[in-house]
Amino acid sequence: MSTIAITGGTPLGGAVRVSGSKNGSLPLLAASLLIDGEVIFKNIPEIADVTTMIEMLKALGAQVTHDTGDGLRIDASNINSVSAPYDLVRRMRGSFYVAGPLLARFGEAQVPLPGGCVIGTRPVDFHIRGFKALGATVEEKYGVMHAEAKKLHGARIYMDPRLRSVGATVNIMLSGALAEGVTVIENASREPEVVDCQRFLTACGADIRGIGTTTLEIHGVSKLHGCEWTAISDRMEAGTFLIAGAMTGGDITLDPVDPEHMQMVFDMLQQVGCEITAEGTRVSLKMDQRANAVDIMTAPYPGYPTDLQPSTGALMAGARGTSVIEETIFDARFNYVDELIRMGADVRVMEGAAIFKGVPQLYAAPVVATDIRAGAALILAGLVAEGTTEISGAELVGRGYVDIIGKLSELGADIESIAQTDQEDM
Ligand code: UD1
């Protein structure tokens, strides 16, 4: 386990380079399994979750090579296994993305069920229902999903409109790309990361209509070819840094950011009192007052992102006034709140919502990161707390953020990694 120490009180200032998107890269990497030939990806972030997905692709027989620049070449021409190792699936739920491509291209996929997760119940029933609708026989036994189909056939799949599952949209879309006939996904996710995957598949020869909408029509093709593709930048990383700027009374510039992807976050930041300017892919934030409290409700895109809910909670913990944050996506996503309370926050969690009564000052305390985004929220709290906050379990943050310590240090934060002890994966 690693520990991060942060001494709070410095306003952040300067420029940060935003890395490629974690949630965008994982579907792209899994999609490479559909392709008989080489794909070259650019802007894939160097984070633990990407390493896990690369290990997964290699375990299935793909050739993966890193170019001297930031290119990642994947050749899935010689896949020799349709069985995903449990050790990799248990590290990251995104590994389940390999199920759709394996089933579509090789007629079979054996992927362990990913199981529970600290942010709440995260079943894969929508994915499995989709595979069945496309004609696969699916058996779940001994903790493994075994799906088989000589050939998948297009079908109309209706997903829960309240949840618009990101993962199920990706998995069904990847299976439909090589199915016979037309697959329609109703209430598909419109997250920018899903849309980027749709555009990538199209560049590889897939026929997808309704790109970026909630009704996708995927006209199956018999084969996809390779291409070169640059992953979009990470809107969660950008959002986390902007919130850090807002909390510390900072003056920061981020690049590259797609402002289109950030409207709800900009809106929240403007409401709390920040000045935001966007020019092309450069976004700047200035804040010279204590944040005003605002109410937030998470929702599928274009709603407020659940992945930024914990960082937003850290902001509201120190805001002027009372804020209600409603979480509509994951049932246990307030688990960072107890740690914030240890730092002096005044928060009450009710069913699906938390009420933050802003306090003028947070105080350092030893705290534990339980997941990627909870860890990021605690880092932000540490940036404004009086004293030195030690966050253990900080390796979880490295699953989703490229060099967060280095990037925050460059902005003037007093932050360092202080310990590394061997422990089982969490
Ligand atoms: C993805 C993101 C995650 C983000 C989430 C919501 C990746 C790798 N992860 O996770 O960072 O927080 O989207 O934006 O991109 N559900 C079911 N059955 C299913 C699938 C989902 O009930 O088969 C439920 C989930 O429990 C959750 C909701 O649907 O309540 C949305 O989940 P989903 O959009 O699928 O999230 P993930 O793809 O797991």
Side-chain angles (χ1 to χ4, degrees):
M1 288 229 286
S2 65
T3 300
I4 291 178
I6 309 166
T7 304
T10 319
L12 299 184
V16 187
R17 184 164 177 77
V18 178
S19 298
S21 162
K22 167 180 105 65
N23 287 353
S25 295
L26 298 175
L28 292 176
L29 295 174
S32 69
L33 289 172
L34 287 169
I35 294 155
D36 194 3
E38 189 181 71
V39 186
I40 303 171
F41 289 120
K42 297 268 169 86
N43 204 33
I44 301 291
E46 284 185 31
I47 48 172
D49 277 12
V50 163
T51 307
T52 301
M53 185 56 96
I54 290 174
E55 279 181 45
M56 173 69 78
L57 298 178
K58 286 181 176 168
L60 299 171
Q63 276 186 355
V64 184
T65 43
H66 293 266
D67 283 350
T68 39
D70 71 342
L72 186 68
R73 288 170 189 268
I74 302 179
D75 189 337
S77 306
N78 296 311
I79 294 299
N80 52 30
S81 166
V82 290
S83 181
Y86 174 62
D87 180 47
L88 297 175
V89 176
R90 89 184 172 99
R91 271 194 236 164
M92 176 186 77
R93 292 180 50 86
S95 320
F96 203 72
Y97 281 155
V98 301
L102 288 175
L103 178 62
R105 184 155 162 232
F106 305 101
E108 193 180 356
Q110 282 187 46
V111 184
L113 296 161
C117 177
V118 287
I119 62 172
T121 324
R122 293 176 83 180
V124 285
D125 53 330
F126 301 161
H127 305 230
I128 290 175
R129 243 189 283 153
F131 298 151
K132 286 181 178 167
L134 297 179
T137 314
V138 183
E139 203 180 42
E140 294 165 65
K141 223 175 179 181
Y142 308 121
V144 178
M145 180 209 66
H146 188 174
E148 265 185 308
K150 273 206 181 78
K151 185 76 196 160
L152 294 176
H153 296 277
R156 179 171 288 267
I157 294 155
Y158 186 86
M159 296 215 296
D160 188 329
R162 290 161 310 164
L163 299 171
R164 294 217 305 267
S165 165
V166 173
T169 302
V170 168
N171 238 335
I172 298 167
M173 176 172 91
L174 296 180
S175 338
L178 292 183
E180 220 160 64
V182 182
T183 300
V184 177
I185 309 178
E186 301 268 19
N187 302 315
S189 153
R190 296 174 51 200
E191 313 287 312
E193 297 77 14
V194 177
V195 176
D196 193 48
C197 188
Q198 291 162 3
R199 296 201 171 116
F200 162 70
L201 290 170
T202 306
C204 295
D207 181 357
I208 303 180
R209 304 177 195 178
I211 285 182
T213 72
T214 53
T215 304
L216 291 178
E217 226 183 71
I218 303 149
H219 294 246
V221 295
S222 57
K223 209 172 154 98
L224 295 176
H225 54 78
C227 74
E228 188 175 312
W229 195 257
T230 302
I232 55 172
S233 58
D234 198 308
R235 64 190 169 109
M236 303 312 169
E237 186 194 26
T240 306
F241 276 88
L242 289 173
I243 295 170
M247 288 172 72
T248 60
D251 182 351
I252 59 171
T253 299
L254 310 185
D255 195 25
V257 175
D258 187 335
E260 268 285 295
H261 299 166
M262 307 283 302
Q263 289 310 317
M264 287 300 279
V265 179
F266 288 173
D267 186 55
M268 180 281 289
L269 290 166
Q270 280 160 340
Q271 283 190 61
V272 304
C274 300
E275 191 188 310
I276 304 268
T277 41
E279 226 183 286
T281 60
R282 279 163 66 90
V283 170
S284 302
L285 171 143
K286 268 195 199 138
M287 179 65 157
D288 54 12
Q289 61 180 76
R290 183 174 165 203
N292 301 314
V294 298
D295 295 340
I296 290 293
M297 185 176 81
T298 64
Y301 188 85
Y304 200 83
T306 173
D307 284 354
L308 287 177
Q309 185 263 99
S311 292
T312 312
L315 170 62
M316 295 309 158
R320 195 192 305 272
T322 298
S323 155
V324 178
I325 299 189
E326 284 179 74
E327 172 58 57
T328 68
I329 315 277
F330 290 115
D331 51 17
R333 200 146 215 187
F334 285 118
N335 53 18
Y336 65 97
V337 163
D338 284 341
E339 302 303 286
L340 280 186
I341 290 172
R342 302 192 67 248
M343 297 177 74
D346 183 350
V347 191
R348 182 167 292 272
V349 177
M350 334 275 280
E351 203 175 319
I355 299 167
F356 289 74
K357 283 189 189 159
V359 294
Q361 181 65 57
L362 295 173
Y363 297 95
V367 289
V368 182
T370 45
D371 67 83
I372 305 173
R373 309 299 171 185
L378 296 174
I379 289 177
L380 301 195
L383 290 173
V384 293
E386 187 182 304
T388 302
T389 300
E390 291 192 3
I391 305 169
S392 54
E395 68 285 351
L396 288 170
V397 181
R399 282 188 47 192
Y401 290 87
V402 176
D403 191 19
I404 196 164
I405 295 178
K407 290 185 182 187
L408 285 171
S409 298
E410 274 191 29
L411 294 177
D414 182 349
I415 178 169
E416 60 178 340
S417 175
I418 55 167
Q420 186 100 36
T421 50
D422 284 341
Q423 266 200 14
E424 264 291 279
D425 274 352
M426 287 178 74

